[in-house]
Amino acid sequence: MRFRIAYLLSAVALIVLQPGAEARKKPGKTVAEMPDSLVRALPDSLVRRVTDSTRIELTDSTLTLSLPKDTLTVGLEPVYSDEYLDTVDIKKTKVINDYSMVGVQYGIALNQMRFNPTKKQGMLMTPMNIGVMYTRYGKMFGYMPYFGFQTGLFYGQDGYVFKKDKETGDYNESVDGATKATYTYLEVPMLAHLHIDVWHLKLIVNIGLYGAYRTGVEREGDRMDPDYANKFYDYDRRFDYGIKGGAGIGLVLDPIEFHITATYRASLGTLYDPDYHSEYYYRFAYPSDIIISAGIHVQLTKRTGKTKAELRKEAKSSVYERNQQ
């Protein structure tokens, strides 16, 4: 009798765990066809209770194995042949998760104004554009790990400078007598962030909106009112808004990232009231900047691998399943 039970358990392991075996699965029960050789070796009807919760039934050529809580675990591990393992295609994937980072960014800007009517001007370079940024990455539709957003607080400068006449050496253009003006501002951007990671490199594209407030001004010119060299006129507009976008590249050395970006900043708000000079002929001035910047960012959470939430979920599932066995 002991020999028969051992033989029967071996047959169950081969039938249930054999790769490619056909089985009809029902809640708490597995039914599998038995080889004819095993059917002839055992009585036509055999019922043996192996444990308090496991039942094996053999009727004709059909083996029925009843286990608790929809499990097929009987303390045995499957054994696969080398031929079968050779057919399994295993691919190692690197999961890019949602993660956040903060960083400091510094750059220089090349500034002009889009004047209407047009004015002949040069390119003003301002070496002060610094800010703190927060970046949040995420997966679009739950599986496309290329998107995120950026925001932060920047202290920057923009303005204009006019060109001298080559023949006379004098300035033919001015704004209220000023031939050069530099404005300082505080800016809050809100940018959509696209990134593609390749090895330790990151390709970056940003586009979005910004809002800003002008905090100071410095004017130069022989014909300007000296009282307004560092003072706003009543018709100056201190609030600004516009479009901001650019591209760059990053070096990723977890948990540090180094980014270099080129950004175009186009204002949609004029520098002063259009009708301040004439109620019949409006004048506009829109800042337009190109900012070249470099930044260092620190990752706040894991960039690759499983997140803490996923690890906690797996641990909970493992403990729960073990307690149910």
Side-chain angles (χ1 to χ4, degrees):
M1 181 62 66
R2 292 181 181 178
F3 172 76
R4 292 183 177 180
I5 293 175
Y7 190 84
L8 178 60
L9 289 177
S10 300
V12 170
L14 291 174
I15 294 173
V16 174
L17 302 177
Q18 181 182 359
E22 296 182 358
R24 302 188 302 276
K25 297 183 179 179
K26 299 180 181 180
K29 180 179 292 186
T30 297
V31 179
E33 299 298 327
M34 297 184 62
D36 293 337
S37 60
L38 182 60
V39 174
R40 290 193 296 268
L42 295 175
D44 292 338
S45 177
L46 174 64
V47 177
R48 173 69 63 181
R49 182 172 299 274
V50 180
T51 65
D52 293 338
S53 58
T54 303
R55 184 177 180 83
I56 299 177
E57 297 180 7
L58 176 64
T59 303
D60 297 334
S61 62
T62 301
L63 176 68
T64 302
L65 176 63
S66 300
L67 297 172
K69 298 183 174 61
D70 296 334
T71 177
L72 293 178
T73 303
V74 293
L76 300 176
E77 295 182 359
V79 178
Y80 299 104
S81 64
D82 294 338
E83 292 78 10
Y84 174 78
L85 293 176
D86 291 339
T87 64
V88 179
D89 185 14
I90 301 177
K91 295 182 179 180
K92 184 177 180 181
T93 60
K94 197 171 186 180
V95 180
I96 300 178
N97 290 306
D98 304 345
Y99 73 101
S100 303
M101 64 182 183
V102 294
V104 179
Q105 189 167 299
Y106 173 81
I108 61 174
L110 302 176
N111 309 279
Q112 281 191 334
M113 289 284 171
R114 305 192 312 275
F115 285 106
N116 186 14
T118 60
K119 295 178 179 290
K120 190 176 181 180
Q121 59 180 313
M123 184 73 71
L124 176 67
M125 186 181 74
T126 55
M128 182 56 66
N129 189 283
I130 187 170
V132 178
M133 296 202 69
Y134 171 77
T135 306
R136 179 71 173 93
Y137 292 100
K139 299 186 186 70
M140 181 173 287
F141 307 120
Y143 69 94
M144 299 176 64
Y146 311 114
F147 303 93
F149 74 89
Q150 285 187 331
T151 187
L153 179 63
F154 280 86
Y155 174 81
Q157 294 178 319
D158 59 14
Y160 58 84
V161 59
F162 296 111
K163 289 184 177 181
K164 291 183 178 181
D165 187 275
K166 293 183 179 180
E167 296 180 359
T168 63
D170 296 329
Y171 290 100
N172 296 329
E173 305 283 3
S174 67
V175 176
D176 297 325
T179 56
K180 179 182 178 181
T182 302
Y183 296 86
T184 59
Y185 60 82
L186 291 176
E187 175 195 297
V188 176
M190 183 61 70
L191 307 177
H193 185 78
L194 169 66
H195 72 103
I196 299 177
D197 294 8
V198 181
W199 190 58
H200 287 290
L201 297 179
K202 174 177 292 185
L203 305 179
I204 303 168
V205 176
N206 295 324
I207 189 168
L209 304 175
Y210 75 87
Y213 180 77
R214 298 185 179 97
T215 59
V217 59
E218 293 182 7
R219 295 185 177 91
E220 299 178 14
D222 297 334
R223 294 173 290 175
M224 60 168 290
D225 187 344
D227 293 338
Y228 287 91
N230 300 104
K231 183 180 177 181
F232 287 99
Y233 291 101
D234 294 338
Y235 47 78
D236 284 336
R237 294 187 175 182
R238 303 183 66 173
F239 286 98
D240 187 26
Y241 62 94
I243 300 173
K244 192 173 184 179
I249 189 171
L251 176 63
V252 181
L253 301 173
D254 299 330
I256 304 296
E257 298 186 15
F258 301 92
H259 293 185
I260 298 177
T261 57
T263 304
Y264 179 67
R265 182 175 176 269
S267 174
L268 300 178
T270 182
L271 193 63
Y272 39 69
D273 292 338
D275 59 350
Y276 86 93
H277 190 269
S278 171
E279 60 179 332
Y280 302 106
Y281 300 99
Y282 283 8
R283 299 183 178 188
F284 302 90
Y286 301 97
S288 178
D289 316 320
I290 297 176
I291 304 171
I292 308 298
S293 61
I296 179 171
H297 303 261
V298 179
Q299 299 166 3
L300 300 179
T301 55
K302 288 177 64 66
R303 186 177 71 92
T304 59
K306 295 180 179 179
T307 63
K308 292 182 178 179
E310 290 172 333
L311 292 174
R312 285 196 299 267
K313 184 178 180 181
E314 286 190 1
K316 182 179 179 181
S317 176
S318 176
V319 172
Y320 177 78
E321 292 179 356
R322 184 163 56 247
N323 291 337
Q324 296 299 320
Q325 294 177 1

